[in-house]
């Protein structure tokens, strides 16, 4: 019964995730292209992101303040996947995500999709089986999250690795959760691949086609993997620390600071566009749609443009993590690709290999999920991902270790003096 229900929920939630992503993309085009022309402007003015992002920030602040659920978890704290959101919190999560993603914040869609997928699956299951035990409800909610995130990442396996690694599922529970989750994601993928004479939506894959062929790695590239891993650890740690430091101040006066953060992101996008002649969308949004254009149009970016892009996108990402709602994955991948391409101007480093190492290293710096980071970076390259996987693994491991050294875990007794050796043993109570 559970497997049949999770298969049905997988199809419904995969289609819903696709609809959510398409709606966000359509709203982005309306706000940044159609609306200026509808207002009588012959072309989109350079200052246009300022009012749009300020309005988006205000909408996010009002949603978080007045609707239950805090608009979902705060992305500066990482990717949280434990526990499905109650039905009452789903409208707030949806509205905060749309106001963040569509209005131009540098944030990804994965966290809201995980929360919405799990929450909707749980709500539907409770309607069908009101007296179902708690473990069955948890399994269905996890399967809903599997289906939703797999629709975004284009692969049931990558979605499964992401959720298992993020939630720390292991031991006997792994098989219990994995079977319905994989079934929901796998059946849900038919929404994109099609079935029989039905061709499906034809979307749902992150593979970037037509990239230059990558040969076998050499010793020099392994040396660059060490450099990229260390650099990504420092950049990712800096972004995360600044975002966490900003977060309490933003939370105290949300309706003031969230629109201000939106103006900061817009100002960074304008500075990049004016300084390079490129489109401000390189800095705005999650980077999911801009990443293929960056990798396929590498020759059109000078070293100076790449450095400015890296600086502006990093700052926009940092402040967006502190104020808006979404996930950390795609901005990290975009930053890693931009940084890798910039380093590929050094001798002996092909830009495809450099971008792959940068994406994997930046992903693990922000996500702390090494297996998922390797899979995401290599998935984007299709068949060439197999050739660069050893390099990506080295960069990811180095970045993960250095990040751990830069962020030592707190121990419970770190601020408490040790008890003297002669102190009496605790009582049985």
């Amino acid at each position: 019964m559970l497997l049949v229900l999770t298969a049905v929920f997988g199809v419904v939630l995969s289609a819903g995730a696709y609809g959510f992503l398409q709606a966000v993309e359509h709203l982005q085009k309306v706000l940044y292209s159609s609306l200026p022309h509808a207002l009588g402007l012959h072309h989109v003015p350079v200052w246009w992101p300022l009012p749009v992002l300020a309005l988006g920030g205000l909408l996010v602040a009002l949603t978080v303040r007045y609707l239950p659920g805090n608009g979902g978890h705060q992305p500066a704290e990482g990717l949280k996947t434990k526990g499905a959101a109650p039905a009452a919190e789903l409208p707030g999560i949806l509205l905060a995500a749309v106001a963040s993603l569509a209005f131009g914040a540098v944030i990804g869609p994965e966290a809201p999709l995980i929360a919405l997928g799990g929450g909707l699956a749980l709500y539907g299951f409770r309607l069908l089986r009101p007296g179902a035990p708690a473990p069955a409800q948890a399994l269905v909610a996890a399967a809903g999250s599997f289906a939703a995130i797999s629709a975004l990442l284009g692969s049931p396996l990558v979605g499964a690795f992401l959720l298992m690694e993020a939630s720390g599922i292991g031991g006997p529970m792994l098989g219990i959760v994995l079977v319905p989750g994989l079934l929901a994601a796998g059946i849900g993928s038919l929404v994109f691949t099609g079935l029989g004479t039905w061709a499906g939506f034809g979307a749902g894959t992150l593979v970037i086609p037509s990239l230059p062929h990558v040969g076998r790695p050499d010793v020099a590239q392994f040396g660059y993997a060490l450099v990229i891993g260390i650099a990504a650890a420092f950049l990712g740690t800096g972004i995360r620390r600044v975002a966490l430091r900003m977060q309490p101040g933003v939370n105290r006066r949300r309706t003031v600071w969230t629109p201000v953060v939106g103006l900061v992101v817009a100002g960074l996008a304008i500075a990049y566009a004016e300084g390079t002649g490129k489109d401000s969308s390189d800095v705005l949004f999650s980077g999911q749609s801009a990443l293929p254009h960056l990798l396929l149009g590498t020759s059109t970016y000078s070293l100076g443009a790449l450095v400015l892009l890296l600086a502006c996108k990093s700052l926009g990402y940092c402040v967006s993590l502190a104020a808006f709602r979404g996930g950390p994955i795609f901005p990290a991948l975009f930053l890693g690709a931009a940084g890798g391409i910039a380093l590929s101007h050094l001798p002996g480093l092909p830009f495809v290999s450099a971008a792959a190492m940068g994406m994997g290293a930046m992903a693990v710096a922000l996500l702390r999920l090494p297996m998922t980071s390797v899979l995401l970076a290599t998935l984007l390259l299709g068949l060439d991902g197999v050739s660069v996987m050893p390099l990506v693994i080295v960069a990811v491991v180095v970045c993960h270790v250095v990040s751990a050294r830069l962020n030592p875990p707190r121990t419970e007794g770190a601020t408490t003096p040790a008890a003297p050796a002669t102190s009496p043993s605790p009582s049985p109570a």
Side-chain angles (χ1 to χ4, degrees), residues 16-37:
Y18 175 80
F20 171 80
L21 295 172
Q22 292 298 307
V24 167
E25 184 177 353
H26 177 71
L27 190 53
Q28 289 173 354
K29 293 178 181 178
V30 169
L31 290 172
Y32 282 90
S33 179
S34 302
L35 184 57
H37 295 296

PDB file of all heavy atoms in Angstrom, residues 16-37:
ATOM      1  N   GLY A  16       4.259  18.666 -10.105  1.00  0.00           N
ATOM      2  CA  GLY A  16       4.141  19.916  -9.362  1.00  0.00           C
ATOM      3  C   GLY A  16       5.452  20.666  -9.270  1.00  0.00           C
ATOM      4  O   GLY A  16       5.490  21.904  -9.371  1.00  0.00           O
ATOM      5  N   ALA A  17       6.555  19.935  -9.059  1.00  0.00           N
ATOM      6  CA  ALA A  17       7.868  20.581  -9.011  1.00  0.00           C
ATOM      7  C   ALA A  17       8.216  21.214 -10.351  1.00  0.00           C
ATOM      8  O   ALA A  17       8.760  22.327 -10.411  1.00  0.00           O
ATOM      9  CB  ALA A  17       8.938  19.566  -8.611  1.00  0.00           C
ATOM     10  N   TYR A  18       7.896  20.497 -11.435  1.00  0.00           N
ATOM     11  CA  TYR A  18       8.133  21.059 -12.761  1.00  0.00           C
ATOM     12  C   TYR A  18       7.310  22.330 -12.952  1.00  0.00           C
ATOM     13  O   TYR A  18       7.812  23.344 -13.464  1.00  0.00           O
ATOM     14  CB  TYR A  18       7.769  20.027 -13.823  1.00  0.00           C
ATOM     15  CG  TYR A  18       7.855  20.539 -15.247  1.00  0.00           C
ATOM     16  CD1 TYR A  18       9.076  20.623 -15.898  1.00  0.00           C
ATOM     17  CD2 TYR A  18       6.711  20.933 -15.931  1.00  0.00           C
ATOM     18  CE1 TYR A  18       9.156  21.093 -17.193  1.00  0.00           C
ATOM     19  CE2 TYR A  18       6.785  21.409 -17.225  1.00  0.00           C
ATOM     20  CZ  TYR A  18       8.007  21.484 -17.859  1.00  0.00           C
ATOM     21  OH  TYR A  18       8.077  21.964 -19.137  1.00  0.00           O
ATOM     22  N   GLY A  19       6.040  22.291 -12.532  1.00  0.00           N
ATOM     23  CA  GLY A  19       5.202  23.479 -12.654  1.00  0.00           C
ATOM     24  C   GLY A  19       5.722  24.641 -11.832  1.00  0.00           C
ATOM     25  O   GLY A  19       5.682  25.797 -12.272  1.00  0.00           O
ATOM     26  N   PHE A  20       6.229  24.353 -10.639  1.00  0.00           N
ATOM     27  CA  PHE A  20       6.788  25.399  -9.788  1.00  0.00           C
ATOM     28  C   PHE A  20       7.987  26.062 -10.463  1.00  0.00           C
ATOM     29  O   PHE A  20       8.093  27.299 -10.512  1.00  0.00           O
ATOM     30  CB  PHE A  20       7.193  24.794  -8.449  1.00  0.00           C
ATOM     31  CG  PHE A  20       7.980  25.704  -7.553  1.00  0.00           C
ATOM     32  CD1 PHE A  20       7.345  26.665  -6.790  1.00  0.00           C
ATOM     33  CD2 PHE A  20       9.363  25.608  -7.475  1.00  0.00           C
ATOM     34  CE1 PHE A  20       8.070  27.506  -5.962  1.00  0.00           C
ATOM     35  CE2 PHE A  20      10.096  26.445  -6.657  1.00  0.00           C
ATOM     36  CZ  PHE A  20       9.445  27.398  -5.896  1.00  0.00           C
ATOM     37  N   LEU A  21       8.896  25.261 -10.985  1.00  0.00           N
ATOM     38  CA  LEU A  21      10.091  25.808 -11.640  1.00  0.00           C
ATOM     39  C   LEU A  21       9.730  26.606 -12.884  1.00  0.00           C
ATOM     40  O   LEU A  21      10.311  27.665 -13.151  1.00  0.00           O
ATOM     41  CB  LEU A  21      11.053  24.673 -11.990  1.00  0.00           C
ATOM     42  CG  LEU A  21      11.644  23.910 -10.802  1.00  0.00           C
ATOM     43  CD1 LEU A  21      12.416  22.693 -11.281  1.00  0.00           C
ATOM     44  CD2 LEU A  21      12.545  24.818  -9.972  1.00  0.00           C
ATOM     45  N   GLN A  22       8.767  26.103 -13.667  1.00  0.00           N
ATOM     46  CA  GLN A  22       8.345  26.829 -14.858  1.00  0.00           C
ATOM     47  C   GLN A  22       7.656  28.141 -14.500  1.00  0.00           C
ATOM     48  O   GLN A  22       7.836  29.159 -15.173  1.00  0.00           O
ATOM     49  CB  GLN A  22       7.415  25.957 -15.697  1.00  0.00           C
ATOM     50  CG  GLN A  22       8.091  24.756 -16.343  1.00  0.00           C
ATOM     51  CD  GLN A  22       9.180  25.176 -17.314  1.00  0.00           C
ATOM     52  OE1 GLN A  22       8.956  25.969 -18.223  1.00  0.00           O
ATOM     53  NE2 GLN A  22      10.372  24.625 -17.126  1.00  0.00           N
ATOM     54  N   ALA A  23       6.871  28.131 -13.432  1.00  0.00           N
ATOM     55  CA  ALA A  23       6.196  29.356 -13.003  1.00  0.00           C
ATOM     56  C   ALA A  23       7.198  30.406 -12.550  1.00  0.00           C
ATOM     57  O   ALA A  23       7.058  31.599 -12.859  1.00  0.00           O
ATOM     58  CB  ALA A  23       5.209  29.031 -11.881  1.00  0.00           C
ATOM     59  N   VAL A  24       8.229  29.968 -11.804  1.00  0.00           N
ATOM     60  CA  VAL A  24       9.259  30.905 -11.363  1.00  0.00           C
ATOM     61  C   VAL A  24       9.996  31.496 -12.559  1.00  0.00           C
ATOM     62  O   VAL A  24      10.235  32.714 -12.624  1.00  0.00           O
ATOM     63  CB  VAL A  24      10.239  30.196 -10.406  1.00  0.00           C
ATOM     64  CG1 VAL A  24      11.498  31.042 -10.185  1.00  0.00           C
ATOM     65  CG2 VAL A  24       9.558  29.901  -9.080  1.00  0.00           C
ATOM     66  N   GLU A  25      10.348  30.649 -13.528  1.00  0.00           N
ATOM     67  CA  GLU A  25      11.048  31.146 -14.717  1.00  0.00           C
ATOM     68  C   GLU A  25      10.180  32.124 -15.506  1.00  0.00           C
ATOM     69  O   GLU A  25      10.667  33.157 -15.990  1.00  0.00           O
ATOM     70  CB  GLU A  25      11.450  29.968 -15.598  1.00  0.00           C
ATOM     71  CG  GLU A  25      12.272  30.357 -16.817  1.00  0.00           C
ATOM     72  CD  GLU A  25      12.705  29.158 -17.633  1.00  0.00           C
ATOM     73  OE1 GLU A  25      12.482  28.010 -17.191  1.00  0.00           O
ATOM     74  OE2 GLU A  25      13.274  29.364 -18.724  1.00  0.00           O
ATOM     75  N   HIS A  26       8.893  31.807 -15.641  1.00  0.00           N
ATOM     76  CA  HIS A  26       7.986  32.702 -16.365  1.00  0.00           C
ATOM     77  C   HIS A  26       7.850  34.041 -15.634  1.00  0.00           C
ATOM     78  O   HIS A  26       7.862  35.109 -16.275  1.00  0.00           O
ATOM     79  CB  HIS A  26       6.623  32.040 -16.519  1.00  0.00           C
ATOM     80  CG  HIS A  26       5.604  32.910 -17.193  1.00  0.00           C
ATOM     81  ND1 HIS A  26       5.650  33.215 -18.541  1.00  0.00           N
ATOM     82  CD2 HIS A  26       4.511  33.562 -16.695  1.00  0.00           C
ATOM     83  CE1 HIS A  26       4.642  33.998 -18.859  1.00  0.00           C
ATOM     84  NE2 HIS A  26       3.932  34.234 -17.759  1.00  0.00           N
ATOM     85  N   LEU A  27       7.740  33.996 -14.309  1.00  0.00           N
ATOM     86  CA  LEU A  27       7.613  35.230 -13.544  1.00  0.00           C
ATOM     87  C   LEU A  27       8.885  36.062 -13.628  1.00  0.00           C
ATOM     88  O   LEU A  27       8.823  37.308 -13.652  1.00  0.00           O
ATOM     89  CB  LEU A  27       7.282  34.893 -12.088  1.00  0.00           C
ATOM     90  CG  LEU A  27       6.884  36.058 -11.174  1.00  0.00           C
ATOM     91  CD1 LEU A  27       5.746  36.861 -11.789  1.00  0.00           C
ATOM     92  CD2 LEU A  27       6.487  35.538  -9.799  1.00  0.00           C
ATOM     93  N   GLN A  28      10.038  35.428 -13.686  1.00  0.00           N
ATOM     94  CA  GLN A  28      11.284  36.172 -13.880  1.00  0.00           C
ATOM     95  C   GLN A  28      11.257  36.951 -15.192  1.00  0.00           C
ATOM     96  O   GLN A  28      11.646  38.124 -15.247  1.00  0.00           O
ATOM     97  CB  GLN A  28      12.467  35.205 -13.864  1.00  0.00           C
ATOM     98  CG  GLN A  28      12.793  34.617 -12.503  1.00  0.00           C
ATOM     99  CD  GLN A  28      13.869  33.551 -12.581  1.00  0.00           C
ATOM    100  OE1 GLN A  28      14.300  33.161 -13.672  1.00  0.00           O
ATOM    101  NE2 GLN A  28      14.315  33.061 -11.443  1.00  0.00           N
ATOM    102  N   LYS A  29      10.801  36.299 -16.254  1.00  0.00           N
ATOM    103  CA  LYS A  29      10.724  36.963 -17.556  1.00  0.00           C
ATOM    104  C   LYS A  29       9.717  38.107 -17.534  1.00  0.00           C
ATOM    105  O   LYS A  29       9.940  39.157 -18.143  1.00  0.00           O
ATOM    106  CB  LYS A  29      10.365  35.947 -18.632  1.00  0.00           C
ATOM    107  CG  LYS A  29      11.441  34.905 -18.883  1.00  0.00           C
ATOM    108  CD  LYS A  29      11.008  33.897 -19.932  1.00  0.00           C
ATOM    109  CE  LYS A  29      12.085  32.848 -20.167  1.00  0.00           C
ATOM    110  NZ  LYS A  29      11.650  31.815 -21.156  1.00  0.00           N
ATOM    111  N   VAL A  30       8.601  37.905 -16.835  1.00  0.00           N
ATOM    112  CA  VAL A  30       7.596  38.963 -16.748  1.00  0.00           C
ATOM    113  C   VAL A  30       8.167  40.169 -16.018  1.00  0.00           C
ATOM    114  O   VAL A  30       8.026  41.321 -16.475  1.00  0.00           O
ATOM    115  CB  VAL A  30       6.330  38.442 -16.042  1.00  0.00           C
ATOM    116  CG1 VAL A  30       5.392  39.593 -15.697  1.00  0.00           C
ATOM    117  CG2 VAL A  30       5.609  37.426 -16.918  1.00  0.00           C
ATOM    118  N   LEU A  31       8.822  39.944 -14.882  1.00  0.00           N
ATOM    119  CA  LEU A  31       9.312  41.046 -14.063  1.00  0.00           C
ATOM    120  C   LEU A  31      10.478  41.774 -14.703  1.00  0.00           C
ATOM    121  O   LEU A  31      10.600  43.011 -14.563  1.00  0.00           O
ATOM    122  CB  LEU A  31       9.738  40.516 -12.691  1.00  0.00           C
ATOM    123  CG  LEU A  31       8.609  40.035 -11.773  1.00  0.00           C
ATOM    124  CD1 LEU A  31       9.184  39.366 -10.535  1.00  0.00           C
ATOM    125  CD2 LEU A  31       7.716  41.195 -11.372  1.00  0.00           C
ATOM    126  N   TYR A  32      11.339  41.057 -15.413  1.00  0.00           N
ATOM    127  CA  TYR A  32      12.556  41.673 -15.931  1.00  0.00           C
ATOM    128  C   TYR A  32      12.532  41.931 -17.434  1.00  0.00           C
ATOM    129  O   TYR A  32      13.484  42.481 -17.963  1.00  0.00           O
ATOM    130  CB  TYR A  32      13.762  40.797 -15.579  1.00  0.00           C
ATOM    131  CG  TYR A  32      14.192  40.968 -14.144  1.00  0.00           C
ATOM    132  CD1 TYR A  32      13.665  40.166 -13.141  1.00  0.00           C
ATOM    133  CD2 TYR A  32      15.112  41.948 -13.777  1.00  0.00           C
ATOM    134  CE1 TYR A  32      14.053  40.316 -11.813  1.00  0.00           C
ATOM    135  CE2 TYR A  32      15.504  42.102 -12.468  1.00  0.00           C
ATOM    136  CZ  TYR A  32      14.966  41.297 -11.490  1.00  0.00           C
ATOM    137  OH  TYR A  32      15.349  41.467 -10.186  1.00  0.00           O
ATOM    138  N   SER A  33      11.466  41.553 -18.108  1.00  0.00           N
ATOM    139  CA  SER A  33      11.399  41.796 -19.546  1.00  0.00           C
ATOM    140  C   SER A  33      10.051  42.374 -19.962  1.00  0.00           C
ATOM    141  O   SER A  33       9.982  43.459 -20.529  1.00  0.00           O
ATOM    142  CB  SER A  33      11.676  40.498 -20.321  1.00  0.00           C
ATOM    143  OG  SER A  33      11.603  40.719 -21.700  1.00  0.00           O
ATOM    144  N   SER A  34       8.987  41.661 -19.659  1.00  0.00           N
ATOM    145  CA  SER A  34       7.663  42.086 -20.135  1.00  0.00           C
ATOM    146  C   SER A  34       7.161  43.336 -19.418  1.00  0.00           C
ATOM    147  O   SER A  34       6.597  44.238 -20.047  1.00  0.00           O
ATOM    148  CB  SER A  34       6.653  40.945 -19.958  1.00  0.00           C
ATOM    149  OG  SER A  34       7.071  39.793 -20.649  1.00  0.00           O
ATOM    150  N   LEU A  35       7.338  43.396 -18.114  1.00  0.00           N
ATOM    151  CA  LEU A  35       6.809  44.515 -17.346  1.00  0.00           C
ATOM    152  C   LEU A  35       7.397  45.866 -17.753  1.00  0.00           C
ATOM    153  O   LEU A  35       6.643  46.838 -17.908  1.00  0.00           O
ATOM    154  CB  LEU A  35       7.017  44.264 -15.851  1.00  0.00           C
ATOM    155  CG  LEU A  35       6.422  45.303 -14.899  1.00  0.00           C
ATOM    156  CD1 LEU A  35       4.921  45.449 -15.122  1.00  0.00           C
ATOM    157  CD2 LEU A  35       6.717  44.926 -13.441  1.00  0.00           C
ATOM    158  N   PRO A  36       8.718  46.006 -17.940  1.00  0.00           N
ATOM    159  CA  PRO A  36       9.237  47.310 -18.389  1.00  0.00           C
ATOM    160  C   PRO A  36       8.629  47.764 -19.717  1.00  0.00           C
ATOM    161  O   PRO A  36       8.310  48.947 -19.879  1.00  0.00           O
ATOM    162  CB  PRO A  36      10.745  47.060 -18.516  1.00  0.00           C
ATOM    163  CG  PRO A  36      11.021  45.911 -17.618  1.00  0.00           C
ATOM    164  CD  PRO A  36       9.806  45.049 -17.682  1.00  0.00           C
ATOM    165  N   HIS A  37       8.464  46.838 -20.655  1.00  0.00           N
ATOM    166  CA  HIS A  37       7.856  47.215 -21.939  1.00  0.00           C
ATOM    167  C   HIS A  37       6.386  47.565 -21.762  1.00  0.00           C
ATOM    168  O   HIS A  37       5.875  48.477 -22.426  1.00  0.00           O
ATOM    169  CB  HIS A  37       8.017  46.076 -22.935  1.00  0.00           C
ATOM    170  CG  HIS A  37       9.441  45.791 -23.306  1.00  0.00           C
ATOM    171  ND1 HIS A  37      10.242  46.697 -23.972  1.00  0.00           N
ATOM    172  CD2 HIS A  37      10.218  44.699 -23.075  1.00  0.00           C
ATOM    173  CE1 HIS A  37      11.452  46.178 -24.146  1.00  0.00           C
ATOM    174  NE2 HIS A  37      11.469  44.967 -23.614  1.00  0.00           N
TER     175      HIS A  37
END
